[in-house]
Amino acid sequence: MTTRTWESLTIPAAGTYNLDVAHTSIGFVVKHMMVSKVRGRFEKFEGAVTIAENPLESTAELTIQTESITTGVADRDGHLRSDDFLSVEKFPTITFKSTRVAGHKGDEFTVVGDLTIRDVTREVELTVEYGGAGTNPWGQAVWGYTITTEFDREDFGLTWNQALETGGVLVGKKVKIEIEGEANPAA
């Protein structure tokens, strides 16, 4: 991989890089019954990052297949795929498209973009931690990243809930997204 130095970071050369789906995980965390957290992930997705000559002008896109949601519990997964939540037959994808890199401090970048869930688009801010670049044992260039964000699911029309006898609700409003992965040069 060709790398370069930019503001004390060794970063990949300008170009387009595809997310390596075999080495990337897209997870989420939601509060359950006001006392614990449920974790899940999406298993089918694709995305790319185009690193510009000026890294602060870089762009990113991600498409997630909603039917690929899994929490490890079949009944819960079925409910999440239903019209109460993702309505996967009507809305087969979740998309993100960056609009700008708002800034950075060291290896941490703030990326702003449009997140679309159930045909509702809202601006979200991602924290992107650049993990470094290298070459794997098979000679393939790779660079790593960790991405986090949090949003209110009701802003996207995901309003189903159930009141609890003890107070509060079954499903928390806040969804935390955690993406950990690698990207490789586009062919």
Side-chain angles (χ1 to χ4, degrees), residues 17-174:
Y17 298 83
N18 292 327
L19 302 189
D20 180 346
V21 297
H23 296 100
T24 298
S25 173
I26 299 177
F28 61 89
V29 181
V30 179
K31 199 92 157 156
H32 181 253
M33 292 189 58
M34 311 298 290
V35 298
S36 66
K37 296 176 182 175
V38 169
R39 294 183 180 275
R41 68 183 188 281
F42 291 94
E43 296 182 329
K44 296 179 183 174
F45 55 88
E46 62 184 16
V49 176
T50 299
I51 298 178
E53 281 298 327
N54 174 355
L56 298 178
E57 296 173 359
S58 299
T59 60
E61 292 186 18
L62 174 66
T63 300
I64 298 170
Q65 301 302 315
T66 55
E67 54 81 22
S68 74
I69 193 169
T70 182
T71 63
V73 177
D75 287 344
R76 179 172 45 221
D77 295 347
H79 191 202
L80 291 172
R81 290 181 187 111
S82 77
D83 289 342
D84 286 343
F85 288 97
L86 294 176
S87 191
V88 302
E89 290 187 21
K90 292 179 196 164
F91 308 105
T93 61
I94 294 171
T95 61
F96 174 80
K97 183 176 173 96
S98 67
T99 55
R100 69 187 182 282
V101 178
H104 85 98
K105 183 176 183 179
D107 64 356
E108 192 171 282
F109 293 78
T110 300
V111 177
V112 178
D114 293 328
L115 178 64
T116 302
I117 303 173
R118 291 179 57 123
D119 278 353
V120 176
T121 302
R122 298 277 185 261
E123 186 175 86
V124 296
E125 185 174 284
L126 310 178
T127 299
V128 179
E129 181 184 346
Y130 171 65
T135 303
N136 71 21
W138 300 274
Q140 184 176 38
V142 60
W143 60 271
Y145 53 87
T146 300
I147 302 168
T148 57
T149 191
E150 186 173 274
F151 59 85
D152 186 329
R153 66 185 177 87
E154 291 186 351
D155 289 346
F156 294 90
L158 301 168
T159 59
W160 183 91
N161 224 327
Q162 187 171 349
L164 300 173
E165 287 183 22
T166 57
V169 292
L170 185 63
V171 183
K173 289 183 179 185
K174 295 291 181 188

